[in-house]
Amino acid sequence: MREASTSRARSQSVPRDEAGHAYKDKEQQIKAKKIAQKKVNKLMKVKGKHTAKKGEGDRHIPNLMPKHLFTGKRGIGKTDRR
C-alpha cells in the first residue's frame, strides 16, 4: 500500500512582483525595479554611515560565570558553616 503511493512536493510561493500581477508587461517591471534600486542607493548614501552601527538594544553584557556553572563548586574551607 505504502510503496504504491507517491509523495507530492510542497508548493512554493512566488513573490508578488515576480508573479506579474502588478505590472502591464515585463518592461514596466524592469523599470520599476531600477527605480527602486536607485531609491535604495540614494538612501544608503545619505544614511549609510549610521545604518550599520550597533544600537542600544544590541549591547551585550557577557555572563562570565553563569549560574549553571557555579552549582556544586565548594572551595577549600567552605564546609564549616552554611
Side-chain angles (χ1 to χ4, degrees), residues 40-69:
V40 169
N41 290 345
K42 187 176 180 183
L43 184 68
M44 286 305 289
K45 282 183 183 177
V46 175
K47 289 190 169 185
K49 298 176 197 170
H50 307 291
T51 53
K53 286 191 175 178
K54 190 189 294 188
E56 186 179 346
D58 297 324
R59 307 281 187 221
H60 182 67
I61 300 167
N63 197 355
L64 297 178
M65 194 69 168
K67 188 175 181 182
H68 74 281
L69 294 176

Side-chain angles (χ1 to χ4, degrees), residues 24-47:
K24 282 192 302 187
D25 51 4
K26 197 75 170 169
E27 186 178 320
Q28 190 182 29
Q29 183 179 359
I30 293 168
K31 188 175 180 182
K33 282 190 177 186
K34 280 185 184 178
I35 291 171
Q37 189 61 45
K38 281 184 184 178
K39 294 274 186 185
V40 169
N41 290 345
K42 187 176 180 183
L43 184 68
M44 286 305 289
K45 282 183 183 177
V46 175
K47 289 190 169 185

Side-chain angles (χ1 to χ4, degrees), residues 69-80:
L69 294 176
F70 270 131
T71 56
K73 293 176 175 53
R74 294 193 300 180
I76 300 173
K78 296 284 183 179
T79 58
D80 57 348

